[in-house]
Amino acid sequence: MKNSALGIPLSLSEPARAAPPPTDDIFDKLAAGDAATLAKCISLMETGGPAADLIHRRICAKTGRAAVIGFTGAPGAGKSTLIDAYIAVLRGRGAKIAVAAVDPSSPVGGGAILGDRVRMRRHALDPDVFIRSVASRGHLGGLSESIHRVVDVMDAAGHDFIIVETVGTGQSEVEVAEIAEVCVVVNAPNMGDEVQAMKSGVLEIADILVVNKADLPLAQRTTKQLRDMLKLRRSRQDISILETVATKDTGIDALSGAIDGLLAKRTGDKQKSRQRRLRRLIAQTASRLMNDRMREFSGDAMDELMRKAATGEIGIAEAAAQALSLVRP
Amino acid sequence: MKNSALGIPLSLSEPARAAPPPTDDIFDKLAAGDAATLAKCISLMETGGPAADLIHRRICAKTGRAAVIGFTGAPGAGKSTLIDAYIAVLRGRGAKIAVAAVDPSSPVGGGAILGDRVRMRRHALDPDVFIRSVASRGHLGGLSESIHRVVDVMDAAGHDFIIVETVGTGQSEVEVAEIAEVCVVVNAPNMGDEVQAMKSGVLEIADILVVNKADLPLAQRTTKQLRDMLKLRRSRQDISILETVATKDTGIDALSGAIDGLLAKRTGDKQKSRQRRLRRLIAQTASRLMNDRMREFSGDAMDELMRKAATGEIGIAEAAAQALSLVRP
């Protein structure tokens, strides 16, 4: 049992009351920023279940101090390299940083292939930079639930900045916007149709648009396209567009400054932002609970409901409402 | 009002009973495969709400005839070109085909940028090939709900094959596997770390793995890597690996044959597959209903719940269960 050091059974089938409470030692070590303890706690947060809930409950009141920054964008835009360079700027100020890189590896299986060390090599040996891949579960609400908990644990471990990196195609972008106080969307020149097509939605969630690899041909065209798109959306005139060359540390100070500017504006909303994250986590968990119950639910009443829906006797909305009342606690 | 021709108000705020029932004319035209009617119905399915529910209810009993094939894979793997070539094979047999291309464009805004005509150009003028972009909503359950309804409408309109194309990074892959009877995962040689990392999860949902652009250097290495990964998963020894060059129509007959083989095996399960899709649609809708209620829910009881969760007095699972009982219908 991988996490037996925590004294918490990992099995999800064991009821919550069977789990011995985590010892205070764990919480002391976590608050002191002990990397091994943090790593174990994150694994538990990803696994979910009663053990995750117990730990999360204990650390919940100690969260809300860290700034949470989201980085998203298509594969190949250079997100990891950009984050690597951004971390260097933050480290220059003495900040402690944790990175949760949401790995698209495994929608069903759950196992991440990308090692943490592949990403952000520059800081691999720095004890004040904690980098962790978090597997994207792909289940309804799955990513949000675990990433919210992971961010909370990183927060409780005393990190000043928590960077959440996601590969941006649809769902995960929205989720990063829900978690992060500032959301950076990374673009690169000349990335093909599908990537271009992403931008319309991305404008809704971006606080800062970065055109990375700005030394490549066509970079200026990409920047211009983004500017033109912004002009069409009066509601988002406040989005900055910045050019960077992450591999050469070009433009990173400007990016860091833009992020700081947004964070400073939002300081008053810090507690509100924490409340919103918590509420979202509760809603996601409730939704997943309900979905689990729906999947497992069977019986004559459900069969009858399915028959009625299949023949069109009742519509899907009515069927869904009836199903909810069938499975309610 | 764009869809006034259907005699159905589009506004979601109008209660279901206020909507006049769609005229029989619409359903006759849809059953006859009229493209304009189908396009309007699909728009309504995407919009959702009472009007979508009314139409879906009427067509529900007429679904279950089409074969639903999923194509997923990373941007740049050549999915659209491969589908284009596959459609040519199907058209040679006289089949009617509908394509629902899930567009990653707009997680929040909902508007698709990619015109339908950009994709699958070869068949743009063929009246028996209906191609439509469906915007990925990015909301919890949103994609599944609308794509299920869109596939049902395409089915009721008399298409023999319905092809669902998604960009594969996480969530959408799982959803395509839930909808499709046969799921084709498209790879291309040498696509970088993030793409490689996807494969582990993809094995869980793939029925057929395609290495497209097989005339490129490194194609054989990619095929070998996939074979090696399959060997490690004894449970999925049945997955075929096929090499194609979609731009030259190479390997497409073999792909079509492999799909037919799987469909033939599953003929007996056709009704079961239809039932599963319906059940999933009901579950998704119920889950979204619950989530909507959770988001809107407020009041003293909810504030108290949030306070308890924030201070760690209760855990998230307990808070979620209590929240469910607060918002239940």
Side-chain angles (χ1 to χ4, degrees), chain A residues 294 301-302 304-306 308-310 312-327, chain B residues 16-17 49-54 56-57 145 149 278 281-289 293 329:
Chain A
M294 286 285 301
M302 198 59 156
E304 176 64 7
L305 194 61
M306 288 287 294
K308 282 186 187 164
E313 201 174 314
I314 57 174
I316 297 299
E318 174 63 23
Q322 288 190 22
L324 276 187
S325 64
L326 283 175
V327 300
Chain B
R17 70 181 69 97
D53 210 51
L54 260 174
H56 188 269
R57 185 175 155 185
E145 258 188 86
R149 286 192 304 243
L278 184 64
L281 173 57
I282 294 173
Q284 296 274 6
T285 307
S287 185
R288 197 247 318 145
L289 277 178
R293 282 183 198 152

Side-chain angles (χ1 to χ4, degrees), chain B residues 77-79 81-82 186-189 210-214 242 244-247:
Chain B
K79 290 181 298 298
T81 315
L82 187 68
V186 187
N187 303 268
V210 167
V211 178
N212 191 32
K213 306 186 184 180
L242 300 173
T244 60
V245 187
T247 50

Side-chain angles (χ1 to χ4, degrees), chain A residues 40-305:
Chain A
K40 281 173 188 166
C41 287
I42 289 176
S43 294
L44 277 169
M45 294 301 128
E46 284 193 270
T47 307
D53 209 51
L54 260 174
I55 291 192
H56 188 269
R57 185 175 156 183
R58 282 286 294 268
I59 55 114
C60 212
K62 280 162 195 143
T63 60
R65 208 186 59 84
V68 184
I69 317 293
F71 279 77
T72 190
K79 289 181 299 297
S80 294
T81 315
L82 186 68
I83 293 171
D84 205 39
Y86 175 53
I87 291 173
V89 173
L90 294 177
R91 289 297 298 132
R93 288 152 48 175
K96 281 190 68 179
I97 298 124
V99 181
V102 178
D103 201 313
S105 55
S106 192
V108 181
I113 285 188
L114 269 189
D116 306 334
R117 282 174 217 165
V118 176
R119 305 169 181 267
M120 294 153 243
R121 289 189 183 123
R122 205 192 308 195
H123 308 286
L125 298 174
D126 182 339
D128 287 327
V129 179
F130 183 91
I131 299 169
R132 172 70 179 240
S133 292
V134 180
S136 147
R137 298 287 175 209
H139 286 303
L140 201 69
L143 170 61
S144 294
E145 259 188 85
S146 63
I147 195 75
H148 270 104
R149 287 192 304 244
V150 167
V151 165
D152 281 346
V153 171
M154 288 173 161
D155 189 346
H159 293 97
D160 303 299
F161 286 81
I162 297 168
I163 295 170
V164 179
E165 178 193 1
T166 65
V167 176
T169 350
Q171 187 72 12
S172 56
E173 288 173 359
V174 181
E175 291 181 345
V176 82
E178 286 175 350
I179 292 168
E181 288 160 84
V182 174
C183 187
V184 180
V185 177
V186 188
N187 303 268
N190 199 23
M191 296 205 24
D193 274 349
E194 283 176 313
V195 177
Q196 299 300 321
M198 244 178 262
K199 285 170 191 162
S200 154
V202 144
L203 290 187
E204 309 286 335
I205 60 160
D207 298 302
I208 297 170
L209 287 170
V210 168
V211 178
N212 191 32
K213 307 187 183 180
D215 54 347
L216 287 187
L218 299 175
Q220 291 183 322
R221 207 185 70 177
T222 301
T223 304
K224 190 183 173 304
Q225 283 172 346
L226 290 173
R227 261 188 230 297
D228 290 344
M229 289 184 75
L230 274 193
K231 275 184 202 150
L232 295 174
R233 303 269 182 136
R234 295 225 179 122
S235 58
R236 300 307 313 268
Q237 295 292 320
D238 56 326
I239 303 180
S240 331
I241 302 180
L242 300 172
E243 294 190 345
T244 59
V245 186
T247 49
K248 296 175 185 165
D249 287 323
T250 306
I252 311 301
D253 282 324
L255 171 63
S256 174
I259 292 171
D260 288 344
L262 288 172
L263 287 174
K265 264 196 230 169
R266 295 175 187 193
T267 306
D269 292 339
K270 193 135 196 80
Q271 207 45 43
K272 214 179 276 176
S273 155
R274 175 73 197 95
Q275 285 282 102
R276 207 185 56 225
R277 261 167 60 203
L278 184 63
R279 192 187 166 98
R280 195 55 53 94
L281 174 57
I282 295 173
Q284 297 274 6
T285 308
S287 184
R288 198 247 316 145
L289 278 178
M290 183 53 70
N291 208 46
D292 288 352
R293 281 183 198 151
M294 286 285 301
R295 275 170 201 250
E296 287 160 16
F297 195 78
S298 56
D300 290 346
M302 198 59 156
D303 290 346
E304 176 64 7
L305 194 61

Side-chain angles (χ1 to χ4, degrees), chain A residues 8-25:
Chain A
I8 300 167
L10 265 184
S11 163
L12 296 179
S13 57
E14 289 185 55
R17 70 183 67 99
T23 61
D24 286 339
D25 189 38

